[in-house]
Amino acid sequence: MLLRSIKLKNFRQYSGEHLITFSCDNRRNVTVILGDNTSGKTTLVQAFNWALYGTAAFTTKDFLLNMDVARDLALNELALVEVEICLMHDNVDYIITRTQKYISTIKGRGKKFG
């Protein structure tokens, strides 16, 4: 099984959509993730945990929506957090997606919805 990509939408410090693709080359199949402190490396790992198992190890684990997105929400506006993992096995692609909706009940704050 090969890990092809992960797509994040409004997940923690990842505002908007971000697609990270991983090497699937038979001879060079290693992808290295580098970054400064607080750049999102641990958040990336937690995105895998949340998409696969429904849990993330953050102190505010029930609130996964990007804070900038939450602050910009109008009253009763919805925002979506989404993580999509694409895997390949025997030349068949498998996509695992987990989403969580948030609604603003107070200007600038999102609350888990649904």
Side-chain angles (χ1 to χ4, degrees):
M1 184 170 294
L2 292 173
L3 176 61
R4 292 177 58 95
S5 65
I6 184 169
K7 182 169 64 172
L8 309 170
K9 181 176 181 179
N10 298 328
F11 186 84
R12 302 290 289 196
Q13 68 254 52
Y14 292 94
S15 176
E17 283 193 14
H18 298 267
L19 177 66
I20 300 167
T21 57
F22 300 96
S23 175
C24 292
D25 185 287
N26 287 334
R27 294 179 11 172
R28 295 181 173 186
N29 61 356
V30 174
T31 302
V32 178
I33 306 293
L34 297 172
D36 293 333
N37 289 345
T38 71
S39 64
K41 299 179 303 293
T42 301
T43 299
L44 185 61
V45 172
Q46 292 302 325
F48 279 102
N49 284 339
W50 184 67
L52 295 170
Y53 307 110
T55 185
F58 297 112
T59 54
T60 56
K61 60 185 167 188
D62 287 338
F63 197 80
L64 301 173
L65 180 63
N66 177 274
M67 292 306 293
D68 291 333
V69 172
R71 276 192 290 275
D72 290 342
L73 287 176
L75 188 60
N76 294 322
E77 185 179 7
L78 286 173
L80 184 68
V81 172
E82 181 177 81
V83 176
E84 178 183 284
I85 299 171
C86 182
L87 307 165
M88 185 174 61
H89 182 66
D90 290 337
N91 291 320
V92 177
D93 282 336
Y94 297 90
I95 298 173
I96 300 163
T97 305
R98 185 173 300 269
T99 59
Q100 177 62 60
K101 293 179 187 173
Y102 288 83
I103 188 167
S104 174
T105 55
I106 300 172
K107 172 82 174 105
R109 281 198 204 163
K111 178 181 172 184
K112 217 171 174 180
F113 180 76

